[in-house]
Amino acid sequence: MIRVSAFKKTIEKYKHAWVFLYAFIYLPWFAYLEKHITATSSFHAIHSVLDDKIPFIEYFIVPYLLWFFFVAGVFLYFFFKDVDGFYKLAKLTFAGMTIFLLISTVFPNGLMLRPVVFPRDNVFTDLVKMLYLVDTPTNVFPSLHVFNSLAACIAIAKSERLRKHPVICTGAYILAGLIILSTMFLKQHSVIDVIGAVFMAYVLYQFSEKRSNRFPKKQRV
């Protein structure tokens, strides 16, 4: 009985895990897009004159890959420490990811920015080559690397608990900035993808804030 009671308490404590069911929407949809919108199919090429002025720098593969740990870490922190913040983060992030899927579906897009010949040969270049093999240069607008990084930073900035730790906040913001830069220096995204992600993050955040102010959370007695 004690084990059953403890199990029930755990389920009740972490019932907000249902939010992760969104993966069953996002992953199949994204897999479909990756399969049907490829470098050999017809898509709208995203390009800006600024892209041609940005050099390829393979060292940015480090912050680019750290993105996975950064976003996952922020989600897990709020999942265990701040349920209300977790819901806000999930709402903002998943709304943007859904918009990204819709855009990619109705407006197939991709890049032709990746270098054919790499300027240097080192371990970082090898990692970039591996990235290029597993990640197609399609479905890039707006950049989810940029958008999710910004969503994570917004959640951190809004957290009263985390604001008490300026070193953590500053480190997170610097890492997010390097991640955003990495998308362009690795030729994974166009400047247009980055601008689109920033605009989407701003609009969705403003919308969510207005709704929160319109329907404030009831104070607990």
Side-chain angles (χ1 to χ4, degrees):
M1 291 296 294
I2 296 178
R3 290 184 177 179
V4 173
S5 177
F7 178 74
K8 288 183 178 179
K9 287 182 179 179
T10 302
I11 294 297
E12 178 65 24
K13 184 177 181 180
Y14 299 117
K15 61 184 179 181
H16 49 291
W18 71 267
V19 169
F20 291 121
L21 292 174
Y22 176 74
F24 292 100
I25 297 175
Y26 179 80
L27 292 177
W29 194 344
F30 182 74
Y32 171 83
L33 292 173
E34 285 289 279
K35 182 178 180 180
H36 291 83
I37 302 174
T38 66
T40 59
S41 63
S42 176
F43 62 77
H44 301 275
I46 306 294
H47 182 263
S48 166
V49 292
L50 294 177
D51 297 327
D52 301 326
K53 300 181 182 299
I54 298 174
F56 170 82
I57 302 178
E58 69 273 19
Y59 306 111
F60 274 96
I61 188 64
V62 176
Y64 188 88
L65 294 179
L66 286 177
W67 172 83
F68 297 95
F69 300 97
F70 174 56
V71 173
V74 173
F75 258 94
L76 288 175
Y77 172 82
F78 282 96
F79 179 81
F80 289 109
K81 298 295 185 179
D82 184 353
V83 176
D84 183 55
F86 170 77
Y87 275 124
K88 290 180 179 179
L89 172 62
K91 181 172 65 175
L92 177 62
T93 303
F94 296 162
M97 292 169 68
T98 301
I99 292 174
F100 159 78
L101 291 172
L102 290 170
I103 291 175
S104 297
T105 301
V106 301
F107 181 72
N109 57 83
L111 298 173
M112 292 185 288
L113 299 176
R114 293 179 174 181
V116 177
V117 179
F118 293 96
R120 291 165 292 278
D121 185 17
N122 51 49
V123 64
F124 301 101
T125 301
D126 291 339
L127 288 172
V128 175
K129 291 177 181 178
M130 293 174 61
L131 173 65
Y132 285 179
L133 286 175
V134 299
D135 188 19
T136 67
T138 56
N139 309 311
V140 295
F141 179 85
S143 168
L144 285 189
H145 251 68
V146 174
F147 174 79
N148 287 350
S149 296
L150 292 174
C153 286
I154 289 171
I156 292 171
K158 298 289 289 184
S159 171
E160 294 183 5
R161 181 180 296 181
L162 287 177
R163 283 203 298 266
K164 297 177 182 178
H165 303 279
V167 174
I168 294 177
C169 293
T170 302
Y173 302 150
I174 291 174
L175 176 57
L178 290 173
I179 290 171
I180 292 171
L181 290 175
S182 74
T183 63
M184 294 177 285
F185 282 109
L186 293 181
K187 301 302 178 179
Q188 280 289 89
H189 285 285
S190 165
V191 172
I192 296 174
D193 303 330
V194 174
I195 294 174
V198 173
F199 178 76
M200 183 168 70
Y202 175 79
V203 172
L204 289 179
Y205 170 68
Q206 293 298 322
F207 178 75
S208 64
E209 280 296 289
K210 287 182 179 179
R211 285 187 60 85
S212 297
N213 294 334
R214 185 179 178 184
F215 303 105
K217 187 173 67 173
K218 293 182 180 180
Q219 296 291 328
R220 293 183 179 178
V221 180

